[in-house]
Amino acid sequence: MTAEIIDGKAFAAKVRAQVAAHVAVIRESHGVIPGLAVVLVGEDPASQVYVRAKGKQTVEVGMNSYEHKLDADTSEADLLALIKRLNGDADVHGILVQLPLPGHLNEDLVISSIDPAKDVDGFHISNVGLLGTGQKSMVPCTPLGCLMMLRDHHGSLSGMDAVIIGRSNIVGKPMAQLLLGDSCMVTIAHSRTRDLPDVVRRADIVVAAVGRPEMVPGDWIKPGATVVDVGINRIDAPEKGEGKTRLVGDVDFASVVQVAGAITPVPGGVGPMTIACLLANTLTACCRAGGMPEPEGLTV
Ligand code: NAD
């Protein structure tokens, strides 16, 4: 058996087109342009790449992008003052503070200072609580993208056995809430899980969010299962030349693709969906703020 490849790149393009169409509608009908403010502190190279990609795609769907680049030694007080200003700015509907922050800044404090209605990352404890109690919230982008792909592939997820590997606040835990909300039976596995292969082997849906290159081999996978690979790991690729690298997921694609029913590739799977969902969340936040109809299918 060879798994169907779930094309996250193509799916993300569809989501962006849907966002762009809805942005055009509210611009026309209400004269409102959704705005996303991204705050980057310091010069972490990976963060710079993400922030650039986010800004570019925000503009491409017709929204306003506001980038705030702060020095690595910016004080907590200055960062909190910027967030306060953005919270009060009616043109800004979404605020994203790029993580990780430099060590002297308290991430929990910074996230909790964002207006929950503008928290398009869905990391504020209000949104975490709303999601956990099945209420309308801002949903973290990566798990939201995973859920969209799973719903698209399966239709109903009701009754399916889902195993999530990884219990982070940004992927594993919200993914569990979303799958629970769709009536899956959910297990969260983590670094202390005993017999991880056996736990994963019973799953109809496996979501791998660990950060360990190719750790999930094909013989952990139940034949026909759907595998969502969240991991992004850069490894050496001597076959491409000296000093070259390539991206791999947390799943050993070559062996898992032989067993699974469907799989998201790395790159081209969850990654593109994450930014598309950020745009969707910004649009949703804008619609909620202005009492405008929300786009369908772009949030839970
Ligand atoms: P994290 O480091 O916060 O969490 C990793 C989790 O994996 C922890 O809960 C830990 O308990 C678990 N873990 C570690 N070793 C394990 C083991 N041997 N067996 C089972 N579980 C183990 O990571 P994160 O922020 O959740 O990110 C996970 C991966 O997803 C990383 O590769 C990251 O780059 C990637 N990621 C991708 C996107 C995207 O857009 N595609 C977004 C966020 C994160």
Side-chain angles (χ1 to χ4, degrees):
M1 175 179 211
T2 305
E4 182 184 328
I5 309 295
I6 298 177
D7 187 345
K9 203 171 160 193
F11 199 122
K14 266 202 283 184
V15 171
R16 288 198 304 274
Q18 206 182 333
V19 170
H22 202 89
V23 167
V25 167
I26 62 170
R27 189 178 189 147
E28 187 66 33
S29 59
H30 291 78
V32 176
I33 303 175
L36 172 64
V38 176
V39 180
L40 174 64
V41 186
E43 286 170 6
D44 177 66
S47 294
Q48 285 179 326
V49 172
Y50 291 138
V51 166
R52 219 175 299 129
K54 286 168 184 171
K56 183 169 169 276
Q57 293 189 27
T58 303
V59 172
E60 279 169 3
V61 295
M63 308 201 290
N64 287 326
S65 166
Y66 309 102
E67 277 180 30
H68 296 269
K69 293 188 176 155
L70 308 181
D71 293 336
D73 60 358
T74 297
S75 71
E76 202 162 80
D78 284 350
L79 178 56
L80 295 177
L82 170 62
I83 292 171
K84 191 172 175 196
R85 188 158 63 73
L86 297 172
N87 283 341
D89 185 339
D91 291 333
V92 171
H93 304 96
I95 302 170
L96 180 150
V97 177
Q98 186 66 43
L99 303 178
L101 289 170
H104 67 284
L105 299 169
N106 179 340
E107 278 185 5
D108 290 339
L109 178 67
V110 170
I111 291 167
S112 69
S113 74
I114 298 172
D115 176 350
K118 297 189 179 189
D119 168 39
V120 282
D121 255 340
F123 296 160
H124 191 288
I125 50 167
S126 294
N127 284 314
V128 175
L130 289 167
L131 178 63
T133 49
Q135 301 180 69
K136 225 177 209 190
S137 64
M138 281 286 136
V139 180
C141 305
T142 300
L144 178 58
C146 296
L147 183 76
M148 282 185 189
M149 290 191 285
L150 285 167
R151 282 180 173 176
D152 183 68
H153 184 75
H154 286 285
S156 169
L157 305 179
S158 180
M160 294 180 85
D161 195 334
V163 171
I164 300 157
I165 318 174
R167 57 176 160 181
S168 71
N169 289 337
I170 67 168
V171 188
K173 286 182 197 158
M175 187 78 249
Q177 295 293 1
L178 289 172
L179 291 172
L180 206 49
D182 270 28
S183 300
C184 288
M185 194 185 80
V186 179
T187 303
I188 305 185
H190 49 76
S191 51
R192 301 297 174 91
T193 295
R194 280 182 255 137
D195 296 328
L196 183 61
D198 277 352
V199 172
V200 175
R201 254 178 222 127
R202 64 153 204 260
D204 304 310
I205 294 171
V206 179
V207 180
V210 182
R212 290 171 66 115
E214 301 175 321
M215 76 165 271
V216 179
D219 66 0
W220 289 15
I221 302 297
K222 177 160 92 176
T226 300
V227 178
V228 177
D229 191 354
V230 180
I232 300 179
N233 309 288
R234 190 164 284 285
I235 61 167
D236 292 338
E239 72 281 3
K240 288 168 73 179
E242 206 188 305
K244 297 284 185 195
T245 60
R246 66 189 173 96
L247 287 183
V248 297
D250 290 343
V251 167
D252 175 34
F253 187 87
S255 60
V256 171
V257 78
Q258 306 296 327
V259 188
I263 182 169
T264 63
V266 177
V270 176
M273 283 299 288
T274 295
I275 301 189
C277 288
L278 171 66
L279 305 178
N281 277 352
T282 304
L283 173 59
T284 299
C286 176
C287 292
R288 287 179 187 170
M292 296 175 284
E294 288 179 33
E296 274 183 31
L298 293 183
T299 191
V300 290

